[in-house]
């Protein structure tokens, strides 16, 4: 995910770097957790370098052990530093970190960006006090410069070289309340020894707490293909997302507030949401969900008490009996094969989002693409021959396709379907196989995560086996984005489709 550059005029940033105080930008330092050998901290005012020596078994699991130099602060913060280890080191997993944590107890909730002794980098996070640590590993090795950025409870980490644009390693939500501790730390990964890292060009930027997030009015809308007209079937002053049509046409499946609901389509009077109970897994459903072609099964993506990152689950159509299909995370469901044998999904593996499938009756995930930096939105064609998806492998977001069995070595079988100035996401095929619907953003839009004016839904005849240039016609232009349309939302008779338009609430 790419983050926007901080607006300095709004940030009112307080920049503290290399001061003459004995501890530089930090207030204090000390050992956190069990550290048989005491760590140390030194600030060189002449070079503005920070030298941190730490012991401890690990920064991981339910408790941490390290030496940590910190500043207590409130609001948003960005911490950047160049890091190098001293000496060859005894343990490959020794760590030097830029960290924001709730408190100084060993089991505190936190997020950090960690440089390991063997050169690999990762976003680490503990979502709650005493919980297990999670990790998003990056393919970037031995970076010189690292950064962690807090915006509200969203943490984004970056890595790269000084003087060059840093690369985003990952983003994670960790709920931290009130003042937090931002700082630098070192863990030796062997409690009986000490390791040292030097942090240079340290820059700590603070700004006032973020303003309340923008709220949106959601309008669940149905588009009639023959009449080229829309009608709003449900409205709420809250975020409602990603409608899917039930196989009998009686209701839409939507998500809001982390739960799934049925929205009756033909009931008399004002429609009311009917919650789908997903069981006791503590599921927080996101906007990737749909029913199998026979209507008997429900696939959905959700975080849970077992994983703060999204995983794919399969349940009976009423939501009962949910079982985990993708142990690796994050994973996001996107499409059923027509015969109901396969679930297609996108997963982040080794720092890249690529396509996979997993058998509906269980088994290991099978990779479908390998070349793209970011592939998303896989959907089977109604005849089951192709999987269409969106990818930025051409430099822009375009629609691509591969055979249902995968792209082959180096994605040699992948074919580019669209190629114009708009940024194309989430191709959806009408059940009768005649039409391809595409959700498009204005030129230059990097992700689908924001909501904005000027998004469009476009339509084209479904491409055949022999690919020809595709001309997409604009059906409607509106204010939309994340949650407008994710998984297929065509009606069973192929005459309508559903989507969500949003309206900012002042």
């Amino acid at each position: 995910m790419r983050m926007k550059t901080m607006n300095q005029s709004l940030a009112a940033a307080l920049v503290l770097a290399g001061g003459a105080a004995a501890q530089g930008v930090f207030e204090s330092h000390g050992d956190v957790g069990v550290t048989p050998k005491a760590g140390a901290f030194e600030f060189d005012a002449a070079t503005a370098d920070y030298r941190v020596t730490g012991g401890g078994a690990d920064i991981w699991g339910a408790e941490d052990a390290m030496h940590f130099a910190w500043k207590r602060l409130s609001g948003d913060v960005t911490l950047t530093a160049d890091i190098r280890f001293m000496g060859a080191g005894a343990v490959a997993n020794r760590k030097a970190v830029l960290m924001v944590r709730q408190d100084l107890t060993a089991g505190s909730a936190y997020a950090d960006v960690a440089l390991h002794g063997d050169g690999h980098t990762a976003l680490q996070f503990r979502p709650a006090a005493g919980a297990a640590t999670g990790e998003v590993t990056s393919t970037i090795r031995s970076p010189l410069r690292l950064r962690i950025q807090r915006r509200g409870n969203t943490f984004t980490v970056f890595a790269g070289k000084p003087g060059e644009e840093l690369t985003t390693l990952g983003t994670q939500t960790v709920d931290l309340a009130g003042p937090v501790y931002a700082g630098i730390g070192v863990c030796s990964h062997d409690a009986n020894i000490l390791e040292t890292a030097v942090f240079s060009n340290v820059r700590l930027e603070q700004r006032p707490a973020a303003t309340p997030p923008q709220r949106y009015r959601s309008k669940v809308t149905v588009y009639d293909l023959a009449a080229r007209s829309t009608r709003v079937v449900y409205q709420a002053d809250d975020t409602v997302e990603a409608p899917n049509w039930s196989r009998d046409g009686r209701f839409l499946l939507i998500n809001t507030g982390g739960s799934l609901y049925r929205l009756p389509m033909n009931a008399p009077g004002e429609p009311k949401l009917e919650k789908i109970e997903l069981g006791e897994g503590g599921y927080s459903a996101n906007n990737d969900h749909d029913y199998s072609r026979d209507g008997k099964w429900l696939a959905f993506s959700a975080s849970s008490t077992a994983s703060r990152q999204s995983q794919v689950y399969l349940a009976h159509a009423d939501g009962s009996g949910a079982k985990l299909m993708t142990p690796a995370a994050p994973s996001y469901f996107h499409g059923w094969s027509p015969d109901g044998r396969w679930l297609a999904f996108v997963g982040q593996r080794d720092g890249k989002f690529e396509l996979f499938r997993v058998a509906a009756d269980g088994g290991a995930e099978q990779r479908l693409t390998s070349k793209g930096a970011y592939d998303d939105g896989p959907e089977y064609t109604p005849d089951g021959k192709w999987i269409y998806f969106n990818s930025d492998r051409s430099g822009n977001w375009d629609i691509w396709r591969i055979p249902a069995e995968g792209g082959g070595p180096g994605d040699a079988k992948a074919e580019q379907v669209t190629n114009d100035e708009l940024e194309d996401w989430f191709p959806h095929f009408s059940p009768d196989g005649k039409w391809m619907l595409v959700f498009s953003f204005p030129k230059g839009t990097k992700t689908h995560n924001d909501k904005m004016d000027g998004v469009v839904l476009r339509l084209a005849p479904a491409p055949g086996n022999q690919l020809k240039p595709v001309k997409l016609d604009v059906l409607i232009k509106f204010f939309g984005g994340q949650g407008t349309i994710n998984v297929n939302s065509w009606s069973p008779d192929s005459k309508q489709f559903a989507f969500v338009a949003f309206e900012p609430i002042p």
Side-chain angles (χ1 to χ4, degrees):
M1 301 270 179
R2 302 177 180 90
M3 297 294 293
K4 294 187 177 73
T5 302
M6 182 175 68
N7 186 330
Q8 295 293 339
S9 64
L10 295 177
L14 173 61
V15 179
L16 304 170
Q23 296 173 128
V25 302
F26 302 110
E27 294 177 12
S28 188
H29 65 93
D31 290 325
V32 172
V34 178
T35 54
K37 288 184 174 291
F41 171 85
E42 179 184 352
F43 173 63
D44 187 333
T47 63
D49 287 347
Y50 299 78
R51 185 185 180 100
V52 180
T53 299
D58 208 350
I59 303 172
W60 192 251
E63 294 187 348
D64 305 323
M66 62 176 171
H67 197 79
F68 186 52
W70 50 266
K71 179 179 176 65
R72 192 166 185 257
L73 48 81
S74 297
D76 293 343
V77 61
T78 301
L79 177 59
T80 305
D82 300 342
I83 304 175
R84 67 182 188 276
F85 286 105
M86 301 301 293
V91 182
N93 274 335
R94 59 179 173 165
K95 297 176 183 176
V97 302
L98 309 183
M99 176 181 286
V100 180
R101 60 192 296 121
Q102 183 68 75
D103 54 51
L104 299 177
T105 63
S108 171
Y110 78 88
D112 76 20
V113 56
L115 174 63
H116 297 67
D118 64 1
H120 83 271
T121 50
L123 161 61
Q124 299 183 152
F125 59 95
R126 182 177 295 121
T133 296
E135 181 181 60
V136 179
T137 302
S138 169
T139 57
I140 296 178
R141 297 186 62 83
S142 302
L144 181 58
R145 178 161 293 177
L146 296 179
R147 175 177 297 155
I148 184 168
Q149 180 184 77
R150 181 195 189 193
R151 296 294 179 263
N153 284 322
T154 299
F155 292 84
T156 305
V157 301
F158 308 81
K161 298 179 180 179
E164 298 181 3
E165 183 176 355
L166 302 186
T167 299
T168 304
L169 303 187
T171 298
Q172 186 65 38
T173 299
V174 180
D175 294 333
L176 302 182
V180 297
Y181 293 78
I184 56 179
V186 170
C187 167
S188 64
H189 209 272
D190 180 340
N192 297 312
I193 64 173
L194 296 172
E195 296 281 4
T196 299
V198 176
F199 299 77
S200 304
N201 298 312
V202 175
R203 185 177 178 90
L204 181 65
E205 300 170 283
Q206 294 175 246
R207 69 177 189 175
T211 57
Q214 174 68 57
R215 295 179 62 240
Y216 295 96
R217 179 172 297 112
S218 302
K219 298 180 179 181
V220 181
T221 306
V222 170
Y223 188 95
D224 186 286
L225 199 60
R228 292 295 200 267
S229 65
T230 62
R231 73 182 192 277
V232 175
V233 297
Y234 181 78
Q235 180 173 302
D237 285 353
D238 205 348
T239 300
V240 178
E241 298 178 315
N244 313 124
W245 225 294
S246 66
R247 297 298 172 251
D248 58 11
R250 296 173 57 189
F251 63 87
L252 295 175
L253 172 69
I254 58 93
N255 63 280
T256 182
S259 297
L260 298 179
Y261 293 85
R262 302 180 191 91
L263 174 62
M265 289 298 294
N266 300 310
E270 188 73 19
K272 295 182 179 180
L273 299 183
E274 303 168 356
K275 188 175 181 180
I276 298 175
E277 298 297 339
L278 296 175
E280 299 180 355
Y283 304 109
S284 179
N286 54 50
N287 46 30
D288 299 319
H289 40 71
D290 199 12
Y291 292 100
S292 58
R293 298 299 174 92
D294 61 10
K296 295 180 179 180
W297 300 97
L298 169 63
F300 66 94
S301 301
S303 58
S304 67
T305 52
S307 173
R308 294 283 291 185
Q309 297 189 84
S310 177
Q311 296 171 295
V312 178
Y313 293 85
L314 182 61
H316 296 289
D318 63 1
S320 64
K323 61 180 180 179
L324 178 64
M325 304 301 293
T326 60
S331 299
Y332 303 90
F333 165 77
H334 268 275
W336 281 93
S337 63
D339 59 10
R341 294 181 56 201
W342 299 98
L343 308 178
F345 66 96
V346 58
Q348 186 183 33
R349 308 290 184 265
D350 300 322
K352 299 197 302 180
F353 285 93
E354 293 175 332
L355 306 187
F356 299 82
R357 69 177 184 178
V358 63
D361 57 4
E365 65 183 31
Q366 299 180 18
R367 185 182 293 271
L368 299 173
T369 62
S370 59
K371 184 178 180 180
Y374 195 150
D375 298 336
D376 204 346
E379 179 168 312
Y380 286 87
T381 52
D383 61 10
K385 293 181 179 180
W386 300 94
I387 291 176
Y388 280 66
F389 62 100
N390 58 277
S391 177
D392 65 350
R393 61 180 63 200
S394 65
N396 299 309
W397 288 106
D398 295 302
I399 305 304
W400 289 69
R401 72 178 186 182
I402 53 173
E405 296 75 26
D411 289 352
K413 298 179 182 179
E415 299 178 324
Q416 187 171 354
V417 179
T418 66
N419 182 17
D420 59 29
E421 287 193 343
L422 296 186
E423 311 291 346
D424 295 333
W425 286 74
F426 303 147
H428 298 312
F429 286 82
S430 58
D432 62 11
K434 293 181 179 180
W435 300 104
M436 180 179 70
L437 181 70
V438 174
F439 184 33
S440 301
F441 289 77
K443 178 182 179 181
T445 306
K446 298 301 184 183
T447 76
H448 71 295
N449 296 319
D450 295 328
K451 296 178 174 65
M452 65 186 70
D453 200 12
V455 301
V456 295
L457 285 166
R458 301 197 287 171
L459 190 72
N465 290 329
Q466 296 300 318
L467 198 59
K468 298 178 180 179
V470 172
K471 182 180 183 300
L472 290 161
D473 294 324
V474 174
L475 296 180
I476 184 171
K477 186 176 183 179
F478 59 101
F479 192 103
Q482 175 71 289
T484 281
I485 191 170
N486 285 64
V487 177
N488 194 299
S489 65
W490 282 91
S491 62
D493 60 9
S494 300
K495 294 180 180 180
Q496 305 173 93
F497 60 83
F499 66 98
V500 182
F502 297 102
E503 180 181 305
I505 298 176

